Amino acid sequence: MSKNNSYKILNTRLPRVDAIDKVTGKAIYTDDMSFPGMLYGAILHSPLAHARILNIDTSRAERLPGVKAVVTYKEAGTQPYGVSPARYDETIFCHDKVRYIGDEIAAVAAVDKDTALEAVSFIKVDFEELPVLLDGRHAMDEGQPQLHDMYKNNICARVNWNFGDIEKGRKESHIIRTDHITSKMQDAAFMEPQSVVAEVDSHGNLTMWSSTQAPHYIQRTLAMALNMPLHKVRVIKPAVGGGFGPKASCSTVELATCLLALKTGKPVKTTLDREQVFLHSRARHQFFHTMTTGVKKDGTLSFLEHHCILDGGAYASFGIATVYYAGSLLGGPYRLKNMKYDGYRVVTNKPACGAQRGHGAVIARAAFEVQLDRIAEELGMDPIELRLKNVMEAGETTCNELFVSSFGMKEALEAVRDSAAWKKKRSLAGKTRGTGKGIGAACGFFVSGAGYPIYRSKTYHCTVVTKVDEVGGGVTVSSGAADIGQGSDTVLAMITAEELGLPLDDVRVVSGDSNLSVDLGAYSSRTTLMTGHACKDAARDIKRQILEVIGGKLNIPPEKLDLKDGRVVGIDKDIDFSALREEYLQEHKGFMDLPEGPQLTFREASRIAFLEIGSVVGTGSYRPPKLGGSFKGATVGTSPAFGCSAQVAEVSVDLETGEVTVDNITGAHDCGFAINRTQVEGQMQGSMMMGMGEALMEQIIYNDKGRIMNANLAEYKIPTSLDVPHLDAIIVESNEPHGPYGAKEVGEGAIMPVIPSILNAIYDATGVRIDELPVTPERIIEALKKKRENK
Amino acid sequence: MVREDLGLTGSKKGCGIGDCGACTMLVNGVATFSCMMLAIQADGCVVETVESLAENGKLNKLQQSFVDLGAIQCGYCTPGMLMTATELLRRNPHPSEKEIRLALSGNLCRCTGYQKIVDAIKAVAGE
Ligand code: FES
Ligand code: FES
């Protein structure tokens, strides 16, 4: 689909604003930074998964020449912090116990990296080993080791929801089936390991540069855990090499590096190595889903009863939201009147899990979409027809009170069906089930920005301040928003350029700095919708001010004027502005590129406005209206808008070896309106690849001591260019009334249908269902073997 | 050494042990994981990094194609991808999609799904 509107900048394929810096090596990531006299930090991780700390002796490390500071809980204090205020269960360093292999015990700053690492190895810790809990399924059982006093029976959070009338749904059902799906913990595997630089100036102001997704939250956590006033803490996000969730929570490496900078008075840099990235994790939980779904004879869904245990590793991190999302986002995209959900998020002696692309909802979605496929088969119905029969439409509210104001679900499903020639291939495959070639479909549903901040507050979720150059000409957009590679800076630049009628090159975006504005950060697919609104308002504010000055001078009502193509123009008639030019020309004697002609350039207009009213600054702020129901936990899952998506996957499976080749993926996503078409496709394609990895190859493997056995990118396999097929991304635009220009999310929703469409295709190809992710060749062979034996 | 002593921070480190390709440079024209190489091994060799691609401040065709076709998201894999693709195109100016994917298989990208990177290289190769 192509552009079909009057926008000059929006809805195009303009290159991202940071593209040139990124192809020339000029883009600065945190680890690229250095300061004179900078020290290097290193961290001591626990070698044990569960143990009491008896004594920490740092004396030998302190004596090593070149070491400038060694810090443990004694220096750091034991102020608890975390993501959700109700679950502050972490301290900067462990003090009483260690709870996973990798838990942070101490940090060192030294003149170079090698010295810092050597010093770390000199720190002596005496432990008393404790029994280790690794199996999340049994974490709640009697007699299991207990990780935290605050989590009785290792339950970190539980949700018990009951919407509608399950019993009524059960009675109405023609088919009822129960299925299970389990997954493994997974890593986000962003390419840039976390890196932090911290510095304290002579007035005691702490500045931290970090590869983070959420400068605002990190600023708050630093201030709280380090016991500093908020305004003395500044967090800046340089270029970030991907985040996908785990970089949204504050990490020990951030806190420890700040502490070392405060202690030494010197800038300090700490960069994790790849193994530490795995140890820090905060990535995908392990899920154990059981779903019972009923449908009527005609395929209408009648109820869903859903039970889930989430193994979240040693600490809460984002896990409270995760357990809620795992239930709430099954409310759509289908009409489902009766839904019961019991979710338990437990702690175990493994690295803490947190948010990862499609937060909480990905495996639940996979489980449900696979179950729908099984139901379709029982009903003798085409799986896409079954879905089409149940999809919601714009204006409907889910049983858990999520209102969908725009919804291109049907369009997306039809688009992938037709584009992938589903009808032809499916009928073929129906006859050839189990012959090694398969095709599968699935849908997805996701928030377009969390409706509420993580901490309870009436705060605006984002503000944008846009200032016109006082010399006239360009504008600078200032925002705390975090571009982590998804392209939000480009979105802000495009919106501003469109509103002001400027070329993209005349808009500069400075962002990712907690000093610039409040912005909750890059998570829950919120930036385009939320910061986009604020950015649009800031630009319109400027436009109004400039046009008021120009209109005032010419006695023309400002609403009869517009900014277009770098000029001020009359709306219903041509206006000769040249009389206003004099002031500008007088100031620029000797300049070569002076404007001429009847129209006034933006450069002149903005300078004239400054001469008249001083700095021209526009502001915009956004926060969602009150959303959601009033039941406990109703806030999680709410959003001003919801994205939805559909996908068809085609696979070949070698029935001898179990090897799966994904031959084709066709995905369609309703993003409301594509601000930048190339970037929307890019988010979709990235989601397809990540989902494909999660479906087929990605799993963290632990030994029986709780040590990760594949903490590197060779053994933790993610898809390479050879694994990934051609990825076909179809943009659906449903014009979201609550989004700027109709836009809503794409960053996370697009991953939802990926895993189940591949699982459904594998079933079509093999005739066996694998209910344990990832679907490795071994699991396929085993299932095929079982099937043969049962015959 | 290239990053710290020469201040050429364009090449990235994603793993330090030869698994990701983010650090790819050309050593005597051959795409090489620089994290696996000691500076002394490169003594006397011609080393090319991402910083050497643009001439006189002008992007070369491959860089321009990456920019125009959206082959970049976070950009962390981009320097390595560009160097690998540079080697490929010198060796084989008109590679097939298969050959492109094969050449890139040691360079991980977590953002793009590779599609637009392959497209960008194809666009240059097809000229
Ligand atoms: S840094 Fe990963 S291969 Fe060199
Ligand atoms: S663009 Fe982010 S890793 Fe490739």
Side-chain angles (χ1 to χ4, degrees):
Chain A
M1 270 173 265
S2 61
K3 184 170 157 7
N4 177 23
N5 51 50
S6 59
Y7 294 119
K8 284 259 154 55
I9 303 272
L10 300 180
N11 210 231
T12 64
R13 295 184 173 275
L14 281 169
R16 30 186 316 142
V17 293
D18 52 359
I20 293 178
D21 282 351
K22 285 177 173 173
V23 292
T24 51
K26 274 190 210 141
I28 299 296
Y29 299 78
T30 307
D31 189 51
D32 300 336
M33 299 176 56
S34 61
F35 288 97
M38 186 172 80
L39 303 174
Y40 291 83
I43 291 182
L44 174 67
H45 299 274
S46 169
L48 298 172
H50 201 191
R52 211 171 291 292
I53 297 174
L54 301 177
N55 187 43
I56 305 175
D57 179 1
T58 57
S59 55
R60 193 168 162 221
E62 278 162 48
R63 283 198 305 271
L64 185 70
V67 170
K68 300 294 177 192
V70 181
V71 289
T72 66
Y73 74 90
K74 290 171 203 154
E75 291 73 23
T78 54
Q79 165 71 33
Y81 77 93
V83 173
S84 307
R87 301 289 189 290
Y88 284 165
D89 59 4
E90 297 186 66
T91 53
I92 299 178
F93 296 113
C94 302
H95 58 103
D96 52 349
K97 288 213 294 187
V98 291
R99 295 183 176 86
Y100 69 94
I101 293 181
D103 220 350
E104 296 91 350
I105 299 171
V108 171
V111 290
D112 56 52
K113 256 184 238 171
D114 292 341
T115 309
L117 288 171
E118 192 176 6
V120 157
S121 73
F122 287 171
I123 299 173
K124 196 170 164 302
V125 187
D126 298 326
F127 295 105
E128 175 196 327
E129 285 197 50
L130 296 168
V132 171
L133 171 63
L134 295 175
D135 187 348
R137 248 169 321 186
H138 298 295
M140 297 182 281
D141 296 356
E142 276 308 306
Q144 291 288 9
Q146 299 293 303
L147 267 74
H148 296 262
D149 293 340
M150 66 193 285
Y151 302 143
K152 197 167 175 300
N153 296 330
N154 296 312
I155 300 172
C156 165
R158 65 188 289 170
V159 188
N160 302 104
W161 276 339
N162 213 331
F163 304 108
D165 184 343
I166 287 288
E167 285 319 311
K168 185 165 165 271
R170 209 184 290 275
K171 280 194 204 106
E172 286 168 5
S173 298
H174 171 64
I175 291 177
I176 296 177
R177 51 173 306 138
T178 300
D179 296 292
H180 312 274
I181 276 199
T182 69
S183 65
K184 295 286 194 278
M185 285 184 186
Q186 289 166 320
D187 192 77
F190 36 77
M191 283 299 117
E192 180 210 18
Q194 285 95 337
S195 180
V196 179
V197 176
E199 191 202 25
V200 186
D201 73 8
S202 34
H203 306 283
N205 297 302
L206 171 69
T207 302
M208 180 185 77
W209 293 263
S210 172
S211 47
T212 177
Q213 296 177 229
H216 172 78
Y217 288 130
I218 309 303
Q219 176 195 32
R220 283 179 59 91
T221 311
L222 292 182
M224 187 181 77
L226 297 168
N227 194 18
M228 291 177 71
L230 265 167
H231 70 279
K232 289 291 206 186
V233 178
R234 177 180 185 190
V235 175
I236 301 174
K237 174 219 68 74
V240 168
F244 311 115
K247 290 180 181 172
S249 50
C250 190
S251 65
T252 296
V253 62
E254 291 171 315
L255 289 157
T257 307
C258 289
L259 191 65
L260 290 168
L262 286 163
K263 193 135 193 261
T264 58
K266 293 254 163 75
V268 180
K269 173 157 88 180
T270 315
T271 301
L272 298 188
D273 64 27
R274 183 53 66 176
E275 185 184 6
Q276 290 176 300
V277 174
F278 279 93
L279 290 182
H280 178 66
S281 181
R282 268 62 175 178
R284 184 89 70 217
H285 286 63
Q286 180 175 25
F287 296 84
F288 303 92
H289 287 285
T290 302
M291 290 181 188
T292 303
T293 297
V295 293
K296 297 181 187 167
K297 221 180 198 137
D298 66 353
T300 308
L301 286 170
S302 47
F303 77 97
L304 165 65
E305 192 173 357
H306 174 199
H307 181 276
C308 183
I309 297 173
L310 291 76
D311 182 350
Y315 297 100
S317 187
F318 267 94
I320 319 293
T322 319
V323 65
Y324 280 109
Y325 274 129
S328 64
L329 291 181
L330 289 178
Y334 308 110
R335 275 181 209 114
L336 180 60
K337 293 209 190 81
N338 312 301
M339 180 168 83
K340 181 172 185 306
Y341 174 55
D342 296 295
Y344 301 86
R345 198 249 187 208
V346 299
V347 286
T348 56
N349 293 118
K350 291 182 280 191
C353 304
Q356 187 173 323
R357 193 177 221 161
H359 193 179
V362 170
I363 308 298
R365 173 60 51 197
F368 190 57
E369 294 289 327
V370 166
Q371 188 165 51
L372 285 183
D373 236 51
R374 303 177 97 145
I375 288 172
E377 191 177 9
E378 275 191 49
L379 284 171
M381 225 174 145
D382 178 273
I384 289 188
E385 286 308 313
L386 174 70
R387 288 174 169 85
L388 283 172
K389 173 146 194 77
N390 286 287
V391 293
M392 297 167 63
E393 281 171 26
E396 291 186 52
T397 302
T398 68
C399 65
N400 52 335
E401 295 182 55
L402 309 176
F403 173 67
V404 299
S405 31
S406 66
F407 216 54
M409 188 67 259
K410 183 166 171 279
E411 292 77 357
L413 202 43
E414 289 171 346
V416 294
R417 180 193 64 193
D418 299 345
S419 169
W422 169 270
K423 283 185 177 157
K424 193 166 138 243
K425 291 178 186 160
R426 180 74 187 186
S427 58
L428 213 73
K431 284 189 212 99
T432 56
R433 172 143 309 143
T435 57
K437 282 245 174 244
I439 185 165
C443 294
F445 177 71
F446 202 69
V447 297
S448 185
Y452 294 85
I454 293 170
Y455 60 97
R456 199 177 283 252
S457 166
K458 283 201 284 202
T459 183
Y460 281 92
H461 290 209
C462 42
T463 60
V464 169
V465 181
T466 302
K467 180 167 177 288
V468 182
D469 295 350
E470 284 156 356
V471 294
V475 301
T476 301
V477 180
S478 305
S479 150
D483 193 330
I484 55 170
Q486 86 282 34
S488 57
D489 282 355
T490 304
V491 166
L492 301 186
M494 287 175 79
I495 288 176
T496 306
E498 181 72 48
E499 287 296 334
L500 299 178
L502 289 175
L504 203 53
D505 277 341
D506 285 346
V507 179
R508 289 175 299 267
V509 176
V510 278
S511 68
D513 179 341
S514 63
N515 266 14
L516 293 177
S517 88
V518 164
D519 195 291
L520 299 186
Y523 73 101
S524 75
S525 296
R526 54 176 294 287
T527 308
T528 296
L529 188 147
M530 298 196 181
T531 315
H533 266 305
C535 182
K536 177 178 169 185
D537 288 352
R540 290 199 171 168
D541 191 7
I542 283 176
K543 182 170 169 176
R544 179 188 52 78
Q545 295 177 51
I546 293 175
L547 295 183
E548 272 174 13
V549 170
I550 303 300
K553 287 194 178 263
L554 293 174
N555 248 328
I556 301 173
E559 53 287 0
K560 297 282 172 206
L561 300 173
D562 200 0
L563 296 174
K564 259 201 181 130
D565 300 327
R567 294 170 188 280
V568 184
V569 295
I571 284 189
D572 1 87
K573 58 173 195 282
D574 289 345
I575 298 167
D576 188 344
F577 293 96
S578 52
L580 287 182
R581 177 155 294 145
E582 206 38 43
E583 217 174 341
Y584 188 84
L585 292 182
Q586 262 183 12
E587 289 192 337
H588 291 84
K589 297 232 156 69
F591 281 66
M592 304 288 283
D593 62 339
L594 292 173
E596 49 190 40
Q599 290 169 323
L600 202 62
T601 61
F602 182 82
R603 206 198 312 172
E604 295 166 279
S606 54
R607 176 67 181 175
I608 291 167
F610 164 69
L611 296 176
E612 192 73 17
I613 60 173
S615 290
V616 181
V617 177
T619 62
S621 307
Y622 176 83
R623 72 179 156 214
K626 188 185 168 339
L627 295 166
S630 51
F631 52 92
K632 181 173 184 279
T635 55
V636 189
T638 60
S639 178
F642 291 87
C644 55
S645 41
Q647 184 171 303
V648 167
E650 294 162 71
V651 304
S652 303
V653 182
D654 182 324
L655 299 175
E656 295 298 314
T657 63
E659 211 71 55
V660 177
T661 308
V662 180
D663 300 319
N664 239 317
I665 294 185
T666 309
H669 183 84
D670 170 19
C671 65
F673 169 80
I675 303 273
N676 184 310
R677 303 188 73 82
T678 305
Q679 289 193 176
V680 169
E681 290 168 358
Q683 286 300 307
M684 293 174 67
Q685 290 161 341
S687 292
M688 293 174 189
M689 174 271 200
M690 191 177 273
M692 187 186 143
E694 293 191 35
L696 299 176
M697 53 185 85
E698 298 183 29
Q699 55 180 333
I700 302 279
I701 299 168
Y702 294 92
N703 71 4
D704 60 357
K705 305 262 183 299
R707 176 175 297 282
I708 300 181
M709 301 307 287
N710 58 342
N712 58 68
L713 293 172
E715 290 162 294
Y716 182 88
K717 289 205 184 311
I718 64 171
T720 69
S721 51
L722 283 177
D723 300 316
V724 181
H726 184 87
L727 303 173
D728 199 3
I730 303 169
I731 298 174
V732 174
E733 296 176 304
S734 63
N735 194 16
E736 167 57 45
H738 301 142
Y741 315 97
K744 56 185 179 181
E745 70 90 31
V746 61
E748 296 181 83
I751 199 174
M752 291 297 155
V754 183
I755 299 176
S757 65
I758 293 174
L759 297 185
N760 289 337
I762 290 175
Y763 170 69
D764 195 29
T766 61
V768 291
R769 293 274 178 193
I770 319 288
D771 48 21
E772 185 174 6
L773 293 176
V775 181
T776 56
E778 300 75 47
R779 291 186 181 129
I780 291 183
I781 300 226
E782 202 179 308
L784 284 169
K785 205 172 124 213
K786 240 200 218 142
K787 191 185 170 200
R788 274 195 302 270
E789 283 164 4
N790 287 346
K791 258 191 183 162
Chain B
M1 132 112 189
V2 172
R3 286 177 52 79
E4 272 155 33
D5 298 346
L6 303 180
L8 291 174
T9 55
S11 309
K12 299 297 172 223
K13 180 172 162 186
C15 71
I17 51 172
D19 295 336
C20 75
C23 64
T24 307
M25 297 178 189
L26 302 189
V27 179
N28 283 345
V30 179
T32 308
F33 292 166
S34 60
C35 69
M36 301 297 282
M37 207 171 171
L38 297 173
I40 193 140
Q41 291 173 287
D43 201 19
C45 299
V46 180
V47 177
E48 296 168 82
T49 68
V50 68
E51 286 93 344
S52 67
L53 293 180
E55 257 179 70
N56 304 324
K58 200 172 167 316
L59 302 186
N60 73 15
K61 276 188 188 163
L62 182 66
Q63 289 172 307
Q64 192 63 51
S65 186
F66 267 54
V67 168
D68 292 342
L69 295 184
I72 307 143
Q73 288 188 30
C74 82
Y76 206 73
C77 69
T78 309
M81 289 286 180
L82 285 167
M83 299 320 288
T84 301
T86 299
E87 190 214 26
L88 170 69
L89 293 170
R90 279 187 200 160
R91 201 160 29 82
N92 175 2
H94 304 291
S96 65
E97 165 148 2
K98 204 134 194 223
E99 289 169 322
I100 295 173
R101 288 190 179 269
L102 192 64
L104 296 181
S105 62
N107 291 73
L108 296 176
C109 172
R110 190 58 154 173
C111 301
T112 62
Y114 306 101
Q115 186 62 49
K116 293 192 187 297
I117 297 177
V118 171
D119 292 347
I121 298 170
K122 251 208 299 208
V124 177
E127 274 181 0

